[in-house]
Amino acid sequence: RTRPWRRIRQPAGTRVVVEREGKTKLLIVIPPQGVTMASAGTGAFALAWNGFIAFWTASALAAGGGLVMAAFTIPFWLAGSSVAKTAFEQVFEASRLEVDAFQFSQTTTATGLVSKTTAGEVDDLQGVRLVVESTSNDEPNVCLELEYGATPVRFGRGLTPIELEFVAAEVNAFIHKLST
């Protein structure tokens, strides 16, 4: 868990938008990733997994196993829905963080629909840090964590390490300037 403070140059080729209005307002927009090799792989696995579970459930019902055998597939449906949700988020999730001298808001959207908003006073923000959210094939999946009181907010999934460091440093430097 690291919390970069030193601002760095915006990485070449990044789609992350950072706008400052003097020393009083910061806006960060992280657009959706779109279809990538990782999201295509996750999506294909989700389709295959859920297709097999649908076949298994239908077969259990058709073979006369009744609801008891069909109910046995519920944990597998839950796992499949989790994988499908991950694939959806990898393709469509976008984040927007606005911070001014008094308040902040962080909004996560998917396909333009707001899925989560967190807002509060800037005095309750400690900063942004990089955290390992999960691991895949021994590779850490790192995202940003907005340290807001006792309720941290995670965002920025799918950004490259240099983009994560860039966004965290921008936010932390801005919050630091506000407090001095």
Side-chain angles (χ1 to χ4, degrees), residues 104-168:
F104 78 94
S105 70
Q106 191 282 325
T107 305
T108 301
T109 60
T111 65
L113 302 173
V114 174
S115 58
K116 184 177 180 183
T117 298
T118 303
E121 296 180 18
V122 169
D123 291 340
D124 293 327
L125 287 180
Q126 290 84 44
V128 172
R129 63 184 173 181
L130 282 63
V131 295
V132 175
E133 191 168 47
S134 63
T135 56
S136 297
N137 300 324
D138 293 326
E139 286 292 319
N141 297 314
V142 181
C143 69
L144 298 167
E145 185 174 83
L146 185 65
E147 298 175 286
Y148 171 55
T151 313
V153 179
R154 292 188 175 178
F155 67 105
R157 292 170 188 88
L159 293 178
T160 64
I162 191 70
E163 289 174 312
L164 291 166
E165 188 175 329
F166 167 68
V167 171

Side-chain angles (χ1 to χ4, degrees), residues 64 67 85 102-103 123 126:
L67 293 178
K85 179 179 181 262
F102 305 104
Q103 58 193 10
D123 291 340
Q126 290 84 44

Side-chain angles (χ1 to χ4, degrees), residues 19-101:
E19 295 178 3
R20 287 178 176 251
E21 290 181 20
K23 297 179 182 179
T24 61
K25 189 170 185 178
L26 174 67
L27 169 67
I28 295 180
V29 177
I30 302 171
Q33 286 180 285
V35 178
T36 63
M37 289 298 286
S39 64
T42 304
F45 180 78
L47 285 172
W49 178 273
N50 288 312
F52 176 75
I53 299 306
F55 173 76
W56 182 14
T57 305
S59 296
L61 290 171
L67 293 178
V68 173
M69 284 305 290
F72 180 74
T73 64
I74 290 173
F76 299 97
W77 279 111
L78 293 173
S81 67
S82 177
V83 174
K85 179 179 181 262
T86 298
F88 181 82
E89 288 173 347
Q90 287 175 339
V91 174
F92 297 110
E93 185 177 272
S95 297
R96 178 184 181 95
L97 176 65
E98 292 183 66
V99 184
D100 66 27

Side-chain angles (χ1 to χ4, degrees), residues 43 62 139 174 177:
E139 286 292 319
F174 184 81
K177 289 271 191 203

